[in-house]
Amino acid sequence: MAVKPKLIKERIPTPEVPVEERVKSFVEVNLGYDFASALKEAERCIQCPPEYAPCIKGCPVHINIPGFLKALRENPDNPDEAVKNALRVIWNDNTLPAVTGRVCPQEEQCEAPCVMGKVGDPINIGKLERFVADYARKHGIEEELLREFMANGDGTKGRVAVVGSGPAGLTCAGELAKMGYEVTVFEALHRPGGVLIYGIPEFRLPKEILDKEIAKLRELGVEIKLDHIVGKTVTLEELLGEYDAVFIGTGAGTPKLLNIPGILLDRIYTANEFLTRINLMKAYLFPEYDEPIAVGEKTIVIGAGNTAMDAARSALRLGTEVTIAYRRGREDMTARIEEIHHAEEEGVKFEFFLNPVEFIGDEEGRVKAVKFEKMRPLEERDRKGKRKIVGTGEYVTLEADTVIIAIGLEPNRIISEEATGLKTNPDGTLVVDENLMTSIPGVFAGGDAIRGEATVILAMGDGKRAAKAIDAYIRRKKANA
Amino acid sequence: MGYVITKKENLSAIDFFMEVEAPHIARSWKVGQFVVLIPDEKGERVPMSVYYAKDGRIGMFIRRHGKTTLKLWYEFEVGDELLSVTGPLGKPIEVKHYGNVVFVSDAVCAQAESYATLKAMKEAGNYTIAIQTFENEANVYPERYLAKPVADEHYLTTEDGSVGIKGHYLDVLRELIEKDKVDIVFGGGKLGSLKKLAELTRPYGIPTIVTVRQIMVDGTGMCGSCRVLYGGEIKFACRDGPMMDAHKIDWDDAIKRNARFAEQEKIARERYMAELRARGVV
Ligand SMILES: Cc1cc2nc3c(=O)[nH]c(=O)nc-3n(C[C@H](O)[C@H](O)[C@H](O)COP(=O)(O)OP(=O)(O)OC[C@H]3O[C@@H](n4cnc5c(N)ncnc54)[C@H](O)[C@@H]3O)c2cc1C
Ligand SMILES: Cc1cc2nc3c(=O)[nH]c(=O)nc-3n(C[C@H](O)[C@H](O)[C@H](O)COP(=O)(O)OP(=O)(O)OC[C@H]3O[C@@H](n4cnc5c(N)ncnc54)[C@H](O)[C@@H]3O)c2cc1C
Ligand code: SF4
Ligand code: FES
């Protein structure tokens, strides 16, 4: 009988830029593995059989995790070969691993049920996924694989229009191109990527990496038309006339605002405005770049999701003190653990059970304080399993000369207002059937546009599922024609 | 890509005309809608009104205001390309028979809209009246760029009286209202004037639809930068406007919000002018 390998209980850590340095710039915080340490971490995996492996089940797109870890381990003396084989396994299910490896809440997905988590730390799957993607990109390994994946890529099976270039749209486009469809992506902004380009800051997801991921799609033959708003520049009906099917991946980009006194005061931003100015338009490099941003000395961020963490950490880097004020408790924060941890490390303060009721301004119309009602948790829980909260009737006022509102987003209605046949739910999300088809035949949708605010990987999963459904739909249509 | 500049011409001491190739916009643009352009890689997104859209091109009137618009004037020539032109954005206005339609304007964006709107209104069978106000003679456009050809009545005023009627569009409009010649007013330009306009027409119950100019980023309803208080509700000028009912807008707040980045704009402008001087451009 073979000797049982010794279990290594602790994770091999990944280095990070020291706090003092990183709060001064937008450089990426986590530095990732090198091959030697990635190998050591991958070797901790006990290789659960794929049909059982809980990590695969925990991943919304079911990446063959033990499979890619095994591939990585099989060529310890040939990193290029190891990475190529690992990337091939990942790409089967996920074509944007450099993104998901950085932004997925792995602790709630693949890493949560990992068997190793029962005896020690779960395998650091996210960072390993990121390693494979980064190494492959740096060493020119992707080109070769792309050719392999493009086997059917002659664009003759049909034409598909994809609306929106966020993770849902990009994934759908990539999958369809691989199947042999001619795909055109229509994007409202002047750069592709959706939230990945305008929302998530460089220190979590460098733009250069995103651009390279998108360049791969162009190599697959996908055409991306920027500055095109479907519903304004072209109508859905026009797209249906020109293409065999349409995928809508327009996300949830409309900010929710607090309808309380003082909302129009200067230096009260929505997280979307704040982050768009910084990420998409590089306002942190003003005046070298033309986009301005103005912050004072004390910033309050309202909310506790990823958006709030990104806004808080960005504000910090512009040189202001930052406090996150959340109406619920610490355990209810929805941001990724790593981001909360980084925010704390970098000096963001947290205040819980505070619900804003008024913004107070100075004579010049600029915000100077926020009045909050203190909240109290109840035993009773809401549908999402969070403890309900009630107001206590007690108030507290915190000074702030900058406020960022990050309380949520909903889908925009540009397309649904224009295309009257497109059914929506009251919250603006599109109605779809089990094949992700909307109320208009041949029009499919996925990502935040149907879910409201969700995650990158769920959007990608939808993109992929929709690609399969679109393929089936077009085949059927052509067979009946 | 490939938003090639096809024409550029000086209009006055302060404004200029620019035409760019943007077939995606020209085919679908309607009166009331605007575009957002970005000059270059380091540029910001700036909203612009449309003077005309035809043959795959859009014409714009641009004021040499701050860094972006100065850059467009000094560094972009016919044949050069802009990084991005997006649109059409915002909601079109309803073009139909109203009777006597007046368009009032006292700043660059509205001078462009004056021509475009009245042209459409005239085609829809309205009697059209343009009142175009400029600060002084040096700021007045050459005649072919005024709304004259599409206006049944055309009034040119300067605030200092150096040319045309001395006074503001508000003065001329007041007279027209007293003569009972006004069924609806469209307009745009300086926010302070629009506030007064709203107060002028309100007692008469004359519908008044104007451009609510606010600082924009995306122009599609994604950032909330352009929010205004409209009939007590929060609306986005880019998505729900830009042309909105002047009587429902909280103008004091709108005016304040539009000055949000004054300090930064000044820094950018001064730095840029110094750069131009160092390069011998100005
Ligand atoms: C600041 C922030 C941080 C986040 N952090 C994380 C994280 O760490 N991990 C995670 O998993 N999730 C995170 N999320 C959520 C995640 O980004 C979204 O769930 C995901 O991006 C949704 O993808 P999507 O493709 O559906 O839409 P989006 O990414 O929103 O992309 C939609 C695209 O469609 C375009 N568009 C919209 N309307 C039109 C139209 N009419 N015509 C043409 N184009 C149009 C938009 O411009 C946009 O580019 C974060 C979200 C935000 C805002
Ligand atoms: C719907 C709409 C239509 C417009 N049409 C025209 C037009 O036809 N011609 C024209 O010259 N200008 C127009 N503008 C204004 C134009 O967008 C600004 O003049 C331009 O952004 C100035 O940029 P700058 O860097 O040159 O000057 P800055 O020094 O940055 O700004 C000068 C002034 O322009 C305004 N402004 C600045 N940035 C923005 C922004 N991102 N969005 C909106 N306003 C801003 C502010 O009032 C500011 O005080 C329009 C604005 C809106 C909202
Ligand atoms: S659950 Fe953990 S140990 Fe099992 S295969 Fe997945 S990563 Fe490896
Ligand atoms: S400009 Fe962003 S919402 Fe209007």
Side-chain angles (χ1 to χ4, degrees):
Chain A
M1 214 174 101
V3 190
K4 238 181 159 184
K6 192 170 159 287
L7 287 182
I8 304 168
K9 289 187 185 158
E10 269 130 48
R11 276 188 174 186
I12 309 297
T14 50
E16 293 184 348
V17 176
V19 174
E20 319 79 65
E21 238 172 86
R22 72 187 196 226
V23 292
K24 288 186 219 130
S25 81
F26 278 74
V27 294
E28 189 171 17
V29 167
N30 194 290
L31 298 169
Y33 284 127
D34 56 18
F35 184 66
S37 49
L39 208 57
K40 273 196 223 150
E41 180 65 18
E43 274 164 359
R44 292 177 57 230
C45 166
I46 59 164
Q47 289 288 308
C48 311
E51 59 286 1
Y52 155 75
C55 55
I56 303 183
K57 294 205 181 83
C59 169
V61 299
H62 309 304
I63 296 175
N64 179 353
I65 292 159
F68 99 75
L69 296 180
K70 178 158 175 262
L72 202 56
R73 288 163 22 172
E74 267 172 355
N75 279 293
D77 303 320
N78 187 348
D80 283 17
E81 190 62 21
V83 166
K84 185 166 85 189
N85 294 335
L87 189 62
R88 188 184 288 118
V89 177
I90 297 176
W91 271 10
N92 268 325
D93 300 292
N94 171 8
T95 43
L96 302 173
V99 174
T100 49
R102 287 177 163 78
V103 305
C104 272
Q106 285 95 5
E107 73 272 8
E108 295 168 15
Q109 299 177 353
C110 54
E111 293 173 17
C114 169
V115 177
M116 279 299 288
K118 306 222 160 51
V119 292
D121 296 333
I123 305 299
N124 202 344
I125 301 169
K127 293 290 186 299
L128 286 166
E129 182 188 19
R130 167 185 159 168
F131 164 76
V132 169
D134 286 0
Y135 185 100
R137 190 177 57 255
K138 282 189 208 133
H139 293 79
I141 290 165
E142 294 175 318
E143 284 72 26
E144 208 179 310
L145 268 189
L146 270 177
R147 278 191 292 279
E148 228 178 80
F149 272 80
M150 245 184 335
N152 328 306
D154 59 357
T156 53
K157 285 171 107 181
R159 306 181 72 215
V160 181
V162 168
V163 188
S165 65
L170 291 177
T171 305
C172 186
E175 293 298 314
L176 286 164
K178 285 194 283 185
M179 287 180 211
Y181 286 90
E182 189 186 324
V183 185
T184 312
V185 177
F186 294 83
E187 167 57 49
L189 292 170
H190 64 284
R191 283 185 76 175
V195 172
L196 307 178
I197 191 88
Y198 75 74
I200 299 182
E202 295 264 0
F203 54 78
R204 282 218 284 140
L205 176 64
K207 302 280 172 263
E208 196 195 328
I209 290 173
L210 179 64
D211 287 346
K212 293 246 172 76
E213 292 286 53
I214 292 169
K216 282 191 327 213
L217 281 187
R218 292 203 164 105
E219 270 175 57
L220 285 171
V222 173
E223 188 195 354
I224 304 183
K225 286 194 178 193
L226 301 170
D227 306 323
H228 277 68
I229 305 136
V230 176
K232 301 249 179 223
T233 315
V234 283
T235 63
L236 188 58
E237 204 182 327
E238 283 172 316
L239 291 185
L240 276 170
E242 267 185 58
Y243 295 86
D244 298 304
V246 177
F247 174 76
I248 300 180
T250 48
T254 302
K256 289 187 195 154
L257 276 166
L258 289 160
N259 214 342
I260 60 176
I263 186 71
L264 292 184
L265 289 169
D266 186 11
R267 296 208 183 151
I268 298 181
Y269 298 94
T270 66
N272 263 15
E273 178 182 358
F274 194 76
L275 290 169
T276 302
R277 283 181 183 274
I278 290 176
N279 297 320
L280 184 69
M281 306 306 298
K282 293 207 168 27
Y284 62 94
L285 297 175
F286 179 89
E288 190 200 336
Y289 279 71
D290 295 345
E291 189 77 15
I293 188 97
V295 295
E297 281 158 21
K298 276 202 170 118
T299 299
I300 289 184
V301 178
I302 296 169
N306 285 314
T307 315
M309 295 308 141
D310 283 345
R313 297 173 66 204
S314 298
L316 205 74
R317 284 161 171 75
L318 297 179
T320 133
E321 269 177 37
V322 184
T323 304
I324 286 185
Y326 184 39
R327 63 190 174 122
R328 297 174 181 273
R330 176 174 286 275
E331 65 287 0
D332 293 318
M333 292 200 281
T334 50
R336 295 180 66 216
I337 303 287
E338 187 179 357
E339 306 328 322
I340 297 174
H341 172 68
H342 280 152
E344 275 178 337
E345 247 181 15
E346 290 165 9
V348 172
K349 293 189 209 83
F350 290 80
E351 293 277 354
F352 297 100
F353 297 111
L354 289 186
N355 193 30
V357 291
E358 188 185 348
F359 298 114
I360 299 160
D362 62 16
E363 312 77 56
E364 283 162 45
R366 192 174 275 175
V367 68
K368 67 170 188 195
V370 187
K371 184 174 170 189
F372 294 94
E373 179 172 18
K374 292 189 183 170
M375 306 302 281
R376 186 167 54 81
L378 301 174
E379 281 314 307
E380 212 183 320
R381 290 183 185 263
D382 67 10
R383 273 186 305 129
K384 288 179 186 157
K386 291 181 177 176
R387 274 185 302 169
K388 288 192 175 168
I389 46 172
V390 284
T392 59
E394 269 180 70
Y395 296 87
V396 26
T397 300
L398 300 184
E399 260 179 58
D401 50 20
T402 310
V403 173
I404 304 169
I405 302 173
I407 57 164
L409 301 161
E410 49 189 42
N412 74 53
R413 295 172 196 251
I414 298 177
I415 298 186
S416 54
E417 271 181 3
E418 179 265 321
T420 42
L422 200 58
K423 279 209 189 100
T424 56
N425 297 305
D427 63 359
T429 53
L430 297 171
V431 175
V432 289
D433 67 12
E434 65 287 354
N435 291 318
L436 297 179
M437 188 145 93
T438 65
S439 53
I440 300 179
V443 178
F444 296 76
D448 283 6
I450 63 166
R451 296 171 181 272
E453 267 178 291
T455 60
V456 170
I457 195 74
L458 287 172
M460 291 174 62
D462 288 349
K464 198 169 149 186
R465 249 178 77 208
K468 289 210 180 92
I470 288 170
D471 177 44
Y473 171 84
I474 294 178
R475 282 165 189 270
R476 229 181 305 123
K477 197 164 101 173
K478 298 225 157 158
N480 294 340
Chain B
M1 296 298 125
Y3 306 107
V4 180
I5 298 170
T6 43
K7 271 188 203 160
K8 187 182 149 195
E9 193 182 328
N10 202 16
L11 286 174
S12 74
I14 182 109
D15 300 340
F16 64 100
F17 166 79
M18 189 177 256
E19 184 194 74
V20 297
E21 250 168 42
H24 63 309
I25 300 173
R27 59 188 278 284
S28 47
W29 174 82
K30 292 193 184 69
V31 167
Q33 292 182 298
F34 64 101
V35 300
V36 165
L37 59 83
I38 312 173
D40 55 19
E41 211 55 57
K42 294 184 177 175
E44 62 177 320
R45 300 171 66 91
V46 292
M48 286 292 155
S49 307
V50 174
Y51 170 56
Y52 62 63
K54 62 180 186 202
D55 308 330
R57 294 164 183 191
I58 56 166
M60 294 167 286
F61 291 171
I62 304 175
R63 172 149 297 194
R64 290 177 282 261
H65 233 312
K67 174 157 180 200
T68 307
T69 48
L70 287 166
K71 185 152 77 177
L72 284 169
W73 171 251
Y74 284 110
E75 293 183 49
F76 286 81
E77 299 305 332
V78 171
D80 292 344
E81 289 180 15
L82 301 181
L83 177 72
S84 159
V85 187
T86 310
L89 293 161
K91 293 205 159 62
I93 51 174
E94 205 180 340
V95 176
K96 62 169 191 189
H97 186 265
Y98 294 95
N100 292 351
V101 174
V102 182
F103 199 103
V104 297
S105 51
D106 67 352
V108 56
C109 51
Q111 310 295 14
E113 284 159 357
S114 176
Y115 173 85
T117 309
L118 290 181
K119 181 168 183 279
M121 290 297 175
K122 198 168 163 64
E123 282 160 9
N126 291 287
Y127 185 79
T128 55
I129 303 174
I131 316 174
Q132 297 191 271
T133 297
F134 297 85
E135 289 88 348
N136 52 46
E137 187 174 11
N139 287 2
V140 178
Y141 300 172
E143 193 156 308
R144 65 181 183 288
Y145 281 106
L146 296 175
K148 248 184 189 164
V150 293
D152 293 307
E153 276 174 47
H154 184 267
Y155 301 91
L156 177 82
T157 89
T158 47
E159 291 173 54
D160 67 353
S162 46
V163 65
I165 302 164
K166 179 175 163 71
H168 192 263
Y169 70 62
L170 290 164
D171 305 319
V172 179
L173 182 66
R174 195 173 291 116
E175 283 176 33
L176 292 177
I177 290 175
E178 271 152 26
K179 284 193 222 150
D180 211 13
K181 278 188 76 171
V182 183
D183 292 312
I184 186 164
V185 179
F186 291 92
K190 294 177 182 152
L191 298 179
S193 313
L194 294 177
K195 180 185 168 189
K196 290 184 195 144
L197 172 68
E199 283 157 13
L200 171 63
T201 57
R202 194 194 312 269
Y204 298 93
I206 299 171
T208 306
I209 312 293
V210 302
T211 305
V212 183
R213 210 159 32 75
Q214 283 295 303
I215 293 184
M216 297 186 178
V217 182
D218 58 299
T220 65
M222 182 270 264
C223 73
S225 170
C226 64
R227 63 184 182 267
V228 289
L229 213 52
Y230 187 73
E233 265 180 85
I234 294 170
K235 296 273 181 193
F236 294 172
C238 69
R239 178 191 67 193
D240 307 307
M243 296 205 82
M244 303 170 90
D245 183 343
H247 297 149
K248 289 194 183 159
I249 287 286
D250 184 326
W251 287 106
D252 291 335
D253 272 325
I255 290 166
K256 264 190 231 140
R257 271 188 75 75
N258 208 44
R260 278 191 293 156
F261 293 101
E263 269 170 57
Q264 286 74 14
E265 284 155 6
K266 193 158 164 258
I267 296 173
R269 185 190 160 101
E270 278 169 10
R271 254 181 64 127
Y272 183 64
M273 289 309 289
E275 191 189 312
L276 288 180
R277 277 193 291 275
R279 284 177 13 210
V281 179
V282 289

